[in-house]
Amino acid sequence: MAEEFTERKRWLFLGLPFTFTKYIIKENMITIDSGLLRKVENDCYMYKVQDVELVISLAERIVGLGTVVCYTGDTTHPQLVLSHIKNAKVIKNYILEASEQARMKRRTLNTLDIGAGAEDMDGPD
């Protein structure tokens, strides 16, 4: 599964890649590289991706694009949005599979905070 995707954020006008945002999706990491004068690079490990959503508006459908939203456990970006990219459905499926494999490799569980504090763990008095 050593695939890698590199996509550019595109304009909805004819799907032209005239933006300065690049998405790099690797087996173990998602990187968003954005900016022209002020470059910002944001990474998220694949094992932190908890869920993935594909959103395709009518305008995106007309020009063959889509938006992939990754819900993560990352502190800097709890929601990674890969906006207006080609091959959105293929990339969404790849991220789902790669994140599951990354969690299996690291033996990481998806856990939820249900609000139980230390005082709840003591038991009845």
Side-chain angles (χ1 to χ4, degrees):
M1 184 178 193
E3 257 184 287
E4 179 178 321
F5 292 95
T6 301
E7 287 289 335
R8 286 197 171 278
K9 179 178 180 180
R10 297 170 180 271
W11 286 355
L12 282 180
F13 177 72
L14 301 177
L16 298 173
F18 291 142
T19 63
F20 298 100
T21 302
K22 183 168 49 170
Y23 306 112
I24 303 158
I25 299 102
K26 296 181 184 175
E27 185 177 352
N28 61 349
M29 188 176 295
I30 299 172
T31 302
I32 299 175
D33 189 9
S34 62
L36 173 65
L37 299 176
R38 181 178 175 257
K39 298 286 282 180
V40 177
E41 187 174 294
N42 184 24
D43 297 318
C44 178
Y45 285 109
M46 199 60 84
Y47 75 91
K48 290 185 175 187
V49 175
Q50 297 166 354
D51 196 16
V52 183
E53 178 180 33
L54 175 63
V55 179
I56 304 174
S57 67
L58 178 62
E60 286 177 324
R61 225 178 317 160
I62 290 171
V63 293
L65 303 177
T67 298
V68 177
V69 181
C70 300
Y71 298 95
T72 71
D74 194 33
T75 54
T76 57
H77 272 88
Q79 250 187 7
L80 285 177
V81 180
L82 312 178
S83 300
H84 311 311
I85 59 174
K86 285 189 172 190
N87 306 313
K89 188 168 191 150
V90 174
I91 290 173
K92 178 201 73 110
N93 292 335
Y94 176 78
I95 291 173
L96 272 174
E97 290 177 24
S99 64
E100 185 63 28
Q101 287 184 1
R103 280 192 298 276
M104 299 276 262
K105 280 182 189 175
R106 293 180 66 98
R107 295 186 177 106
T108 305
L109 293 175
N110 248 354
T111 58
L112 297 173
D113 181 10
I114 57 172
E119 64 277 355
D120 297 333
M121 301 300 281
D122 294 336
D125 289 331

